[in-house]
């Protein structure tokens, strides 16, 4: 029933299609940036600085982005952030196609694009509950997450082909076009006005209110902590250019490795949707998925045969998608609409800042210890954290599930 309602919801479908198209370009650019820096420097540590630039922008600007998402017109703020990212992508296309790009160009471009995304992501997340009824929200989130995986699947694969054809400049050009498409789509989406129960206060006061709300909700900050451990110490994407180089599979093969986790996520979509919509034991499912992710990441680090690498990459995507979908949906349902932008901005510090910081941590560790040792040691930590939480009662393990939350609402 929820799926049928979503498929007949004009504004949600417009928003969904625009986000998918934009994310295809964004994911292609992420893969192209990592490849380009590695090609220009030959250093895994330097490649990790791409994630470092993302982490800095996310940590510094995310709280402000959340406040503005709760004060301003979310659709127009999202359009503005997309326009800034579009200009950066076109500038990167120009310097790359001209053959004058340097590593610092890529890192600076990532910094500015991520700064724009700190305003973008809270708006995207906060718009969804405004477009669908509350009882359809779990289905909407379960639909958006695999859509993201479609983008992560298609984007890096397409990026690899474009890099092989004529370098990363074409990838950046594609990204600029995809941003323009989302700006146009958003102009046609009808979003109900945000209803506030009080007059806007100072930005610092509203930031503080968001922090206080999260602090009073153990399930939210516990999920943020688990997300951070998993994404920082289980960051494998920064190693993919070096793995592709070791396997001697070129940019097209690199695109395949970058896309494989998302294919795994898509193959697991049906089971994940059923789990999120119906299970009353999602806390245990989340922790089990975290253990599975860590163990597969350890195995992924050990193998050097292409078929085995791709297989483990598929499994990484499946476990990651299960854990991510549960965390995202739980945070959404635990947050009132008037605080949604601020809570989502704090959550994205871990959900997006974690992988970015992980690129730095694993990149530096891989430069010092080698990729195998770095990822093996790092991925052990989320496994241990999840096993500790599984061992005794706590708010994460005992989380009743989205189906139970929706029934109680």
């Amino acid at each position: 029933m929820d799926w049928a309602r979503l498929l007949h919801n004009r504004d949600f479908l417009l928003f969904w299609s625009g986000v998918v198209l934009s994310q295809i370009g964004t994911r292609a650019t992420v893969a192209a940036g990592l490849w380009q820096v590695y090609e220009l420097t030959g250093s895994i540590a330097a490649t990790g600085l791409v994630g470092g630039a993302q982490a800095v922008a996310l940590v510094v600007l995310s709280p402000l982005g959340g406040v503005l998402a709760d004060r301003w017109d979310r659709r127009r703020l999202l359009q503005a952030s997309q326009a800034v990212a579009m200009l950066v992508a076109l500038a990167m296309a120009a310097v790359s196609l001209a053959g004058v790009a340097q590593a610092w160009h890529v890192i600076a471009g990532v910094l500015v694009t991520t700064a724009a995304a700190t305003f973008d992501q809270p708006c995207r997340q906060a718009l969804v509950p405004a477009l669908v009824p509350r009882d359809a929200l779990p289905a909407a989130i379960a639909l958006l997450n695999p859509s993201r995986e479609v983008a992560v699947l298609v984007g890096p694969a397409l990026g690899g082909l474009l890099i092989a054809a004529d370098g990363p400049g074409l990838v950046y050009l594609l990204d600029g076009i995809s941003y323009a498409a989302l700006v146009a789509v958003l102009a046609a989406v009808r979003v109900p006005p945000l209803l506030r129960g009080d007059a806007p206060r100072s930005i610092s006061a509203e930031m503080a209110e968001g922090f206080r709300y999260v602090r009073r909700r153990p399930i939210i900050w516990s999920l943020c902590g688990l997300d951070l451990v998993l994404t920082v110490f289980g960051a494998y994407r920064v190693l993919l250019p070096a793995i592709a180089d070791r396997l001697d599979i070129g940019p097209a093969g690199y695109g395949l490795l970058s896309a494989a986790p998302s294919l795994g996520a898509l193959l697991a979509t049906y089971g994940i949707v059923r789990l999120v919509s119906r299970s009353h034991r999602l806390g245990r499912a989340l922790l089990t998925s975290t253990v599975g992710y860590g163990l597969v990441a350890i195995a992924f680090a050990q193998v050097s045969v292409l078929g085995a690498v791709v297989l483990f990459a598929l499994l990484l995507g499946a476990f990651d998608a299960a854990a991510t979908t549960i965390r995202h949906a739980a945070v959404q349902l635990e947050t009132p609409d008037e605080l949604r932008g601020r809570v989502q901005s704090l959550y994205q510090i871990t959900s997006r800042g974690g992988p970015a910081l992980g690129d730095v941590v694993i990149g530096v560790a891989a430069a010092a210890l080698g990729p195998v040792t770095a990822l093996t040691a790092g991925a052990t930590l989320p496994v241990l954290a999840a096993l500790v939480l599984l061992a005794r009662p706590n708010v994460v393990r005992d989380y009743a599930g989205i189906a139970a939350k929706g029934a109680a609402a």
Side-chain angles (χ1 to χ4, degrees):
M1 179 66 69
D2 288 341
W3 292 99
R5 292 165 66 191
L6 290 176
L7 294 176
H8 287 87
N9 186 322
R10 169 193 175 275
D11 295 307
F12 176 77
L13 288 179
L14 277 173
F15 175 72
W16 177 38
S17 61
V19 166
V20 171
L21 182 60
S22 175
Q23 286 190 340
I24 288 174
T26 299
R27 297 297 176 170
T29 290
V30 170
L34 291 171
W35 175 269
Q36 191 173 21
V37 172
Y38 186 74
E39 282 287 288
L40 290 169
T41 66
S43 167
I44 300 177
T47 306
L49 292 177
V50 174
Q54 292 177 306
V56 168
L58 285 164
V59 171
V60 172
L61 292 176
S62 281
L64 176 60
V67 170
L68 296 184
D70 286 337
R71 291 166 68 104
W72 293 357
D73 183 309
R74 290 167 175 170
R75 183 185 62 171
R76 294 189 183 279
L77 184 56
L78 181 53
Q79 285 181 300
S81 68
Q82 295 291 294
V84 171
M86 176 188 69
L87 293 176
V88 174
L90 294 178
M92 286 302 304
V95 296
S96 297
L97 291 172
V100 297
Q102 299 180 35
W104 74 265
H105 289 138
V106 180
I107 294 169
V110 168
L111 180 65
V112 177
T113 300
T114 307
T118 60
F119 301 93
D120 170 313
Q121 290 297 322
C123 289
R124 288 193 194 192
Q125 296 292 335
L127 274 176
V128 177
L131 297 175
V132 302
R134 179 179 174 81
D135 59 351
L137 184 57
I141 294 170
L143 182 62
L144 283 168
N145 278 326
S147 300
R148 182 197 62 163
E149 300 302 340
V150 170
V152 183
L153 170 64
V154 175
L158 181 60
L161 293 175
L162 292 176
I163 293 171
D166 198 28
L170 288 179
V171 181
Y172 299 131
L173 183 59
L174 169 70
D175 194 22
I177 294 171
S178 73
Y179 282 124
L182 182 54
V183 171
V185 165
L186 286 168
V189 174
R190 297 169 302 199
V191 181
L194 176 64
L195 299 177
R196 295 184 58 107
D198 55 1
R201 294 166 291 167
S202 68
I203 288 178
S204 61
E206 297 208 346
M207 281 186 187
E209 185 181 13
F211 279 107
R212 284 195 302 271
Y213 182 83
V214 171
R215 190 178 68 243
R216 294 195 300 264
R217 296 296 186 277
I219 184 61
I220 295 181
W221 55 257
S222 296
L223 290 174
C224 288
L226 184 64
D227 197 346
L228 197 61
V229 172
L230 178 66
T231 55
V232 169
F233 298 105
Y236 63 90
R237 290 188 185 275
V238 69
L239 303 178
L240 294 183
I243 292 173
D245 187 37
R246 183 184 70 189
L247 297 174
D248 194 26
I249 55 178
Y254 167 65
L256 171 64
L257 289 184
S258 298
S262 292
L263 177 58
L266 287 174
L267 293 175
T269 293
Y270 178 73
I272 293 171
V273 170
R274 286 179 62 87
L275 177 68
V276 169
S277 299
R278 302 183 181 185
S279 175
H280 292 257
R281 296 169 62 86
L282 283 190
R284 293 177 184 272
L286 169 61
L287 294 173
T288 301
S289 298
T290 302
V291 172
Y293 178 96
L295 293 177
V296 171
I298 292 170
F300 178 78
Q302 311 300 316
V303 297
S304 57
V305 177
L306 178 59
V309 171
V310 172
L311 173 62
F312 286 123
L314 291 170
L315 291 173
L316 277 173
F319 283 118
D320 186 33
T324 298
T325 300
I326 294 170
R327 290 193 305 264
H328 283 192
V331 172
Q332 283 276 29
L333 284 166
E334 293 291 333
T335 306
D337 190 54
E338 66 272 13
L339 287 167
R340 203 174 298 280
R342 279 164 283 178
V343 173
Q344 286 298 323
S345 71
L346 296 176
Y347 180 56
Q348 82 165 348
I349 293 177
T350 58
S351 65
R352 299 186 67 237
L357 181 59
D359 285 348
V360 178
V361 171
I362 298 300
V364 171
L369 306 173
V372 174
T373 301
L375 187 55
T376 299
T380 300
L381 294 178
V383 172
L384 294 176
L387 289 175
V388 168
L389 289 173
L390 277 169
R392 53 186 176 181
N394 56 79
V395 291
V396 176
R397 192 195 74 168
D398 300 331
Y399 185 65
I402 295 163
K405 185 75 177 178

